[in-house]
Amino acid sequence: MAESAAVEFRIDRRSGVATYLQIVQQTKQALRLGVLEPGDRLPTAREVVEATAINPNTVLKAYRELEREGLVEARRGLGTFVRRTLGSAAVTTDAPLRAELAEWTRRARAAGLDKDDVSALFTDVLDSTFKGDQH
Amino acid sequence: MSTLTTLRGPARVVVRQHRWTLWIAGGLAALAVLVLVAVALRSSHVAEVFGASGCPVDGGAGRDCDVTARSYLDSMYMYRSIFGQGAFALTVLPVLVGAFVAGPLIAREMESGTFRTAWTQSVSPAHWLAAKLAVPTVLLLAGTAVLASALRWAQSYSDNPYPYEWHAALVFAGTGILPLVHPLFGLAVGALTGLLVRRTLLALTVSGFVTGAVVALLSYRRGLLWPRDTVTGRTLDVQENIWWVETGHLTSGGARLPEDLCARSVSSADYARCLADHDVTGAYLDYHPQSHFWPLQLVETGILLALAALALALAFRVLRRLHG
Amino acid sequence: MTGAAIEANGLGMTYGRKRGWALRDCSFRLPAGRVCALVGPNGAGKSTLLGLAAGLLRPTEGSLRVLGTGPGEARSRIAYVSQDKPLYPQLTVADTLWAGAELNPATWDREAADRVAGPLPQDAKVRTLSGGQRTRLALALALGKRPELMLLDEPMADLDPLARHQLMGILMAEAAENATTIVMSSHILTELEGSCDYLLFVDGGRVRLGGESDDIVAAHALVTGQARDLAPHTVVESRTTGRQLTALVRKEGPVDPADWDVTEPSLEELLLAHLRSPEAPPLLTPSAHAREEVAAG
């Protein structure tokens, strides 16, 4: 118990994304980036709600979802632990895909796009590419 | 859990809440006792000095002695009035108690809403009220017992040539057991008023007024609380130390006529004619001998305790009716 | 199935014949362990409902069970913080917490109280505290009691955003750790939305919506399309602009996506629509239905 949790969730109430989904997504993001590794403990519901003031059941719902996807497991009395990583080689810091994206972002900036423009463009492309296979 | 343990927490909170009032009240009581003791000692010293001077109280032993006697009597009269004021303070105490209990103790909680906090701890409204009243009850009983004893002791110790008569309105409620009973009555009236009025200043005023009115009424009508003894005759042959409640003229048929019936007569002949015209053959006197002291005290006690019990029962009922 | 934290049957309350009903015909059930937002416009009856549940008021009609018993009997298991946070002005912060321990000898948890009251100046008199500090102290008193049910009337009204977030976090941690049932009232839904999983929407002295927030939202749909009959769905509110109809409906079965553009309303849109349409029928999800037999018991 003494060991502190490996991640912290940031909840954006205005994002329009359901709170439990934000936790699911941020956990997955941390798994992809290697911030969370197998064996790491997710923060307890108490820790999450104390920091974020969201409802405990929301946290539990998110953890259930992650558990259903086989990413984490709840060990009674101990906490919720990461079972496997989502990390693919593509996402580590020096991976080529990341470098390509970084390069593209630099070009977008040079072309006069600000952060919001880039983000909107990226989201748009993301949405059209992955259209239909949302979970 | 016994009621006593249940009340301990809330009672301690009541003490903490009102500790300044309690300190001040305690300080005043201690001061009063000190004053009484000092006056008693001083007064007995003055009496001793006067006794040693050998001068008679009623004069006729030369100018110097007259001055000494006058100064002695002046002092004694002043001490008497201090004792009288002490007794009077005991008489008005219930009014202050009633006002305090109704206003700062209870209505203020209602007015400021703190009762909501108090009643949602693990203490029911009834226990809360009980604790609120238990604290002043215990302290008042102890305090007035001490004050009344100090007063009695001081009066008997000071050897005053002008003692109050046992029935004097000023001191009657400050002697016997009444000094214990009157404040309890004020407390009960205060509890009920505080719960009903729920505004600090208004409750304080109403409760003080009601308690004051009852205490005044009792002291005004006290003579009627116990059957009086009566003497009649051409002239009245009366004992020492009795309380003259009512006196007047008596006709041959036994009818009572007011004492001031012939007060407007200009001469004694006129006066005699006036009495004869009204068929006055004698006089009557309704009175209480000193043996009526305790019956009078007990009847008044009974009345006040009954009223207090009624007010308390109503107070708890109001609490239950409104707040479950 | 867990027990009910609060269960009301035909509950009604009036403060005097001339003043009308503050609450009328309220029947609902709040399952234990929920964090419930009690929302509604000012004067809707929220405070009355909380006062009744706290055992401060006696209902004029109907019955109310709290934690399986009468509100008076449940007193030591309930914490209540009223809207204006009344505390004894002449006591200090430390005195107030001491009084909490004296008045709740069986349950008092000093650590729980100190967690909230910690940042307050312990020797300051309550009368010198700011509104936010008083709220903090009132919540410390409530949490120190280790209640099974917390009834909080507009708890966050006096707080700055930082303190609001922090105290809400402490309340949520309490709910997470001890499964404490929490009822918080507000006339501002957004204050509570993320923290609550249950909703009681009171309006005009009646409960108009009750149940899990998600289920209540899911029971409704925001539809846009060509103006035509929306049967069999219950229309809560509708607006026609030219040929286009926009409506908030309570779904009776699926809404045909071929005819309508369907989106899920936000909780706030839902409440606003109900506020604008006082005649819309009430909705209680199954878990919010009062069980009749309890009323007899």
Side-chain angles (χ1 to χ4, degrees), chain B residues 231-256:
Chain B
V231 286
T232 55
R234 187 157 291 279
T235 55
L236 294 174
D237 183 19
V238 296
Q239 310 157 249
E240 283 279 298
N241 217 4
I242 60 162
W243 176 5
W244 291 50
V245 179
E246 191 187 312
T247 180
H249 303 290
L250 212 53
T251 64
S252 60
R256 292 178 161 199

Side-chain angles (χ1 to χ4, degrees), chain B residues 1 8-13 16-20 108-109 112-125 128 132 320-324, chain C residues 54-58 75-80 82 84-92 95 98-100 102-108 125 141 145:
Chain B
M1 226 191 303
R8 195 174 53 203
R12 287 172 59 159
V13 173
R16 176 86 52 118
Q17 259 176 280
H18 297 283
R19 58 186 150 187
W20 287 111
R108 186 189 287 159
E109 293 241 13
S112 67
T114 45
F115 73 97
R116 293 196 190 93
T117 304
W119 298 356
T120 47
Q121 307 307 311
S122 309
V123 176
S124 72
W128 168 87
K132 285 236 150 197
R320 240 192 326 276
R321 263 273 293 283
L322 291 177
H323 307 288
Chain C
L56 291 173
L57 301 169
R58 165 169 278 213
R75 193 177 308 278
S76 60
R77 297 149 67 201
I78 304 174
Y80 167 82
S82 96
D84 42 355
K85 282 82 184 177
L87 296 165
Y88 296 113
Q90 73 271 34
L91 294 188
T92 64
D95 279 345
W98 167 87
E102 287 289 325
L103 297 176
N104 304 289
T107 56
W108 187 252
K125 289 237 193 311
L141 206 55
K145 195 180 175 187

